[in-house]
Amino acid sequence: MSVVKINVLTVPAEQRETLETRFAARADAVANSDGFEWFELLRPVEGTDTYLVYTRWRDEESFQAWLEGPMKAAHQGGEQGERPKPAASASTLWSFEVAQQTAPKGE
């Protein structure tokens, strides 16, 4: 079964738009990765500053290859290697194996 990685990001209100814009700009960096299965950026709606970044991968090796390749490159910064200020003030990575799953009928 697949593995799921959830990055828990604390994002101040004034950085929300920046975070969402950055994720949109780098969507292809994950979408074209071998073993990638799904991505969702979950925006908080009820009194919290915590975003969840949900990705699902074929296996742990696929995630690690993306982490060391496209993800690392996407976070390096501009041509002079300048890194923009992080939009999140804290980050925690949760890891799971998919034990069970159900899809809607007909899919």
Side-chain angles (χ1 to χ4, degrees):
M1 281 279 208
S2 302
V3 296
V4 170
K5 303 296 181 171
I6 300 174
N7 196 357
V8 183
L9 302 175
T10 303
V11 182
E14 66 275 7
Q15 291 294 322
R16 285 181 169 199
E17 185 176 339
T18 299
L19 179 90
E20 292 181 23
T21 299
R22 288 179 183 171
F23 269 95
R26 294 192 295 239
D28 286 345
V30 70
N32 295 323
S33 297
D34 184 49
F36 169 75
E37 296 179 350
W38 198 260
F39 163 85
E40 290 179 324
L41 176 61
L42 306 177
R43 178 189 304 134
V45 294
E46 295 180 349
T48 182
D49 57 0
T50 303
Y51 274 74
L52 299 179
V53 183
Y54 172 98
T55 58
R56 188 175 67 219
W57 299 86
R58 176 179 57 229
D59 50 35
E60 182 67 24
E61 292 76 20
S62 297
F63 171 74
Q64 291 299 326
W66 169 78
L67 192 65
E68 291 302 316
M71 194 286 291
K72 192 173 188 177
H75 286 84
Q76 292 299 315
E79 290 181 14
Q80 285 82 27
E82 297 173 13
R83 291 183 56 156
K85 177 184 173 199
S89 61
S91 173
T92 302
L93 183 65
W94 296 342
S95 298
F96 300 88
E97 291 180 338
V98 176
Q100 297 180 23
Q101 64 184 22
T102 303
K105 291 184 180 194
E107 290 188 25

